[in-house]
Amino acid sequence: MNQEEAPLFEALCFHKDQNRGNYHVPGHKQGKTFDPLGREHFGDLLTIDLTEIAALDDLHQPEGVIRKAQELAAAAFGADRTFFLVGGCTAGNISLILASCQPGDQLIIHRASHQSVFNGCHLAGVRPVFLSGRGDAPLGGEITGEDLEEAILRHPGVKGVFLTSPDYFGRVQPISQLAKVCHRHGLPLMVDEAHGAHFGFHPHLPPPALTQGADGVVQSTHKMLTAMTMGSMLHLKGNRIDGGLVAKGLGMIQSSSPSYPLMASLDLARRFMVKMGQGELQKTLNQASLIREHLAGMRHLKEDTKSGSDPLKLSIRADRRISGYGMQKWLEKRGIDPELADHEKVLFVLSPGMKRDEAVRLIGALRRLDQAIPQWEESPHHPIPHLPVLSESHLSWDRLRLISGETIPLPQAEGRMAAEMVIPYPPGVPVVLPGEILSTEQIRHILHILDKGGRVRGVTPGFPPGLHVIK
Ligand SMILES: Cc1ncc(COP(=O)(O)O)c(C=O)c1O
């Protein structure tokens, strides 16, 4: 296959150059009618914002340029079949679950999954079995083959295993070992690799899940690679997951009018990475080393090395107990936007093609932050709630979706059953799941995040904040 080509993007350009009579949607008619305020910024993009006409193919039944673009992506990412996603990894995660389970089925899922995995369970009527990693890493530590084996043996009849690797901070799971356990039991391993789309393009990065035995992998091409926001891919390998059912699920949850610029950006992100990815990633690795060298000489700021194994994720904490939210706010006021913060650290994402001046700017800001830290008041240590290695929901998830609840003050919610997910965002990993009995630890954790200025979905604003619980 000729990876120099970008069939979908090229078809859009060809169509545009033909200057055809446009009597179809979208109504801006390739940018001819559009609010002048935004015309300069949107202009060029609107000329290729087309729809399923002439030779532009159909995402939901691809036979032409979209099919070819997906085939090129499959070859580049090492898949047997690749689907372009216009609804982010969110759509991919949900459709994998819809393709693997019937209502009432059980699925082993990583407790530290993104909300989309739990929503997939809701929509498919799945009864999830939660599996956590061991250790006190930010989103749970490493999942062992033994724990996975035990979870499978204790739940005969489970339909598969759905894990997240890497997590937001770059921590990877031992996918090859876990895939062997799954396959020994005839189960598919699905991996949410939202943060690892770059892994296959440089030898110094962790190996991609698809090369480690995963059967279905979802990647946010818009996170660590260069696609437009929402542009993502779902890859299948082997025949443990039915591609026809995945396509059917995607047809139900994605728009019937997917954005062509978005899909073309997936086509181009693949071409760019195949042609230039290793060099662009090397640039970033060089800058990452430079930042780390300077960081090593700082007094108070330290890299949180237990956070992850992806060198493109830089988690920084202060030796004095200063929250990540505080450091984030300090940086934002000075024009530096990190990816996210939590109660103890800030995370910086270093993307392909990083330039020296970007690294120098960050080093300068970190140095000033390091100097400012002694003037800050230390905050008390804040423990994160402990997650059991193996657990189950108290209620079946298909019932939970429709169950009615009431909103009560969060500080009074101990012992009540949560009706909704409570999700600090980012990273989007729920600290409370529907059907869970709320513990003091969880409530304290949520109040702490809110107090430090973090955003939490599933909590109603107010003094005190409210929480939706089952009556
Ligand atoms: C681990 C993980 N999975 C899935 C998603 C959802 O991805 P998307 O934003 O592409 O829908 C996210 C988003 O942050 C994530 O962190």
Side-chain angles (χ1 to χ4, degrees):
M1 296 190 92
N2 184 359
Q3 293 282 348
E4 289 279 335
E5 291 179 19
L8 177 53
F9 175 69
E10 285 161 18
L12 291 172
C13 294
F14 181 72
H15 186 97
K16 172 190 144 187
D17 290 345
Q18 285 178 309
N19 193 22
R20 301 168 72 90
N22 181 330
Y23 304 99
H24 55 77
V25 296
H28 60 68
K29 304 281 182 229
Q30 295 173 263
K32 289 191 192 82
T33 312
F34 201 71
D35 190 327
L37 183 64
R39 202 174 280 149
E40 196 195 332
H41 278 90
F42 279 78
D44 284 349
L45 199 60
L46 293 177
T47 63
I48 57 163
D49 185 24
L50 291 153
T51 188
E52 290 85 358
I53 40 157
L56 297 183
D57 209 0
D58 175 0
L59 177 67
H60 296 288
Q61 191 163 328
E63 288 163 356
V65 284
I66 295 180
R67 179 177 175 156
K68 196 164 171 205
Q70 291 186 145
E71 285 170 358
L72 283 162
F77 287 86
D80 292 338
R81 186 169 177 187
T82 290
F83 298 84
F84 282 181
L85 308 173
V86 290
C89 249
T90 296
N93 286 346
I94 293 173
S95 73
L96 273 183
I97 296 174
L98 288 171
S100 324
C101 299
Q102 305 261 12
D105 280 346
Q106 286 201 297
L107 185 68
I108 295 175
I109 66 172
H110 206 150
R111 173 60 183 81
S113 292
H114 183 257
Q115 55 176 336
S116 53
V117 176
F118 299 101
N119 285 332
C121 291
H122 265 311
L123 291 173
V126 164
R127 287 182 297 133
V129 173
F130 306 120
L131 185 61
S132 278
R134 289 185 182 265
D136 63 348
L139 299 176
E142 186 171 301
I143 291 182
T144 65
E146 294 76 40
D147 285 341
L148 178 59
E149 182 101 44
E150 189 188 333
I152 295 172
L153 291 173
R154 278 218 220 158
H155 298 89
V158 285
K159 294 294 183 225
V161 176
F162 204 123
L163 303 178
T164 300
S165 176
D167 66 18
Y168 223 122
F169 298 95
R171 171 184 294 271
V172 291
Q173 295 293 338
I175 294 297
S176 136
Q177 191 195 348
L178 300 171
K180 284 191 191 113
V181 176
C182 290
H183 297 164
R184 219 172 28 243
H185 292 275
L187 298 175
L189 174 62
M190 294 163 264
V191 179
D192 176 351
E193 202 176 46
H195 297 277
H198 56 310
F199 281 0
F201 296 97
H202 197 288
H204 294 166
L205 299 178
L210 223 46
T211 64
Q212 303 297 294
D215 302 282
V217 172
V218 188
Q219 297 172 334
S220 291
T221 323
H222 67 97
K223 290 196 197 304
M224 294 306 290
L225 297 183
T226 53
M228 281 167 66
T229 294
M230 290 172 86
S232 300
M233 296 188 196
L234 187 161
H235 307 291
L236 296 182
K237 189 146 189 177
N239 52 13
R240 287 189 186 87
I241 299 171
D242 184 332
L245 290 179
V246 171
K248 202 168 165 184
L250 287 172
M252 288 179 196
I253 60 172
Q254 297 208 108
S255 170
S256 59
S257 313
S259 157
Y260 273 80
L262 191 52
M263 293 190 284
S265 80
L266 286 169
D267 200 17
L268 291 170
R270 179 271 312 155
R271 179 180 180 274
F272 179 68
M273 287 316 285
V274 174
K275 271 175 66 82
M276 301 160 74
Q278 184 160 341
E280 296 299 300
L281 287 165
Q282 187 57 51
K283 286 181 196 164
T284 310
L285 290 168
N286 295 343
Q287 300 313 324
S289 303
L290 182 70
I291 299 167
R292 289 189 167 96
E293 263 169 43
H294 282 265
L295 199 55
M298 291 186 196
R299 255 187 100 178
H300 302 290
L301 297 183
K302 301 275 167 261
E303 180 167 13
D304 186 78
T305 44
K306 76 174 179 189
S307 274
S309 33
D310 177 0
L312 270 54
K313 294 289 177 84
L314 182 68
S315 300
I316 293 182
R317 60 163 78 212
D319 60 352
R320 301 169 93 231
R321 283 184 181 140
I322 287 163
S323 82
Y325 301 116
M327 293 194 277
Q328 181 181 35
K329 282 212 188 91
W330 191 95
L331 287 162
E332 281 173 356
K333 273 196 200 141
R334 285 147 187 91
I336 300 286
D337 296 327
E339 170 70 16
L340 64 80
D342 68 12
H343 54 289
E344 45 190 13
K345 56 194 176 301
V346 270
L347 172 70
F348 300 88
V349 170
L350 314 178
S351 307
M354 188 175 193
K355 302 206 171 48
R356 193 179 162 83
D357 61 338
E358 295 171 75
V360 168
R361 186 172 182 183
L362 181 56
I363 292 166
L366 291 175
R367 196 174 280 139
R368 287 193 294 281
L369 173 61
D370 191 55
Q371 285 158 2
I373 280 185
Q375 289 123 48
W376 289 9
E377 251 178 54
E378 283 192 42
S379 47
H381 178 62
H382 172 75
I384 47 174
H386 180 75
L387 297 170
V389 170
L390 192 58
S391 59
E392 275 181 72
S393 180
H394 294 274
L395 288 180
S396 105
W397 274 43
D398 46 346
R399 275 191 56 217
L400 273 171
R401 193 164 52 85
L402 300 173
I403 230 158
S404 71
E406 59 180 334
T407 301
I408 60 165
L410 175 60
Q412 290 160 30
E414 192 195 338
R416 298 293 300 265
M417 189 180 278
E420 274 169 29
M421 288 191 257
V422 179
I423 314 162
Y425 212 98
V429 174
V431 290
V432 173
L433 292 177
E436 261 179 9
I437 308 289
L438 286 143
S439 68
T440 324
E441 237 185 340
Q442 280 169 317
I443 294 167
R444 257 198 230 134
H445 184 59
I446 301 164
L447 288 170
H448 179 81
I449 295 174
L450 291 171
D451 182 50
K452 294 292 173 194
R455 277 175 291 153
V456 182
R457 294 180 183 165
V459 168
T460 48
F463 300 100
L467 192 77
H468 206 50
V469 293
I470 289 169
K471 271 189 189 164

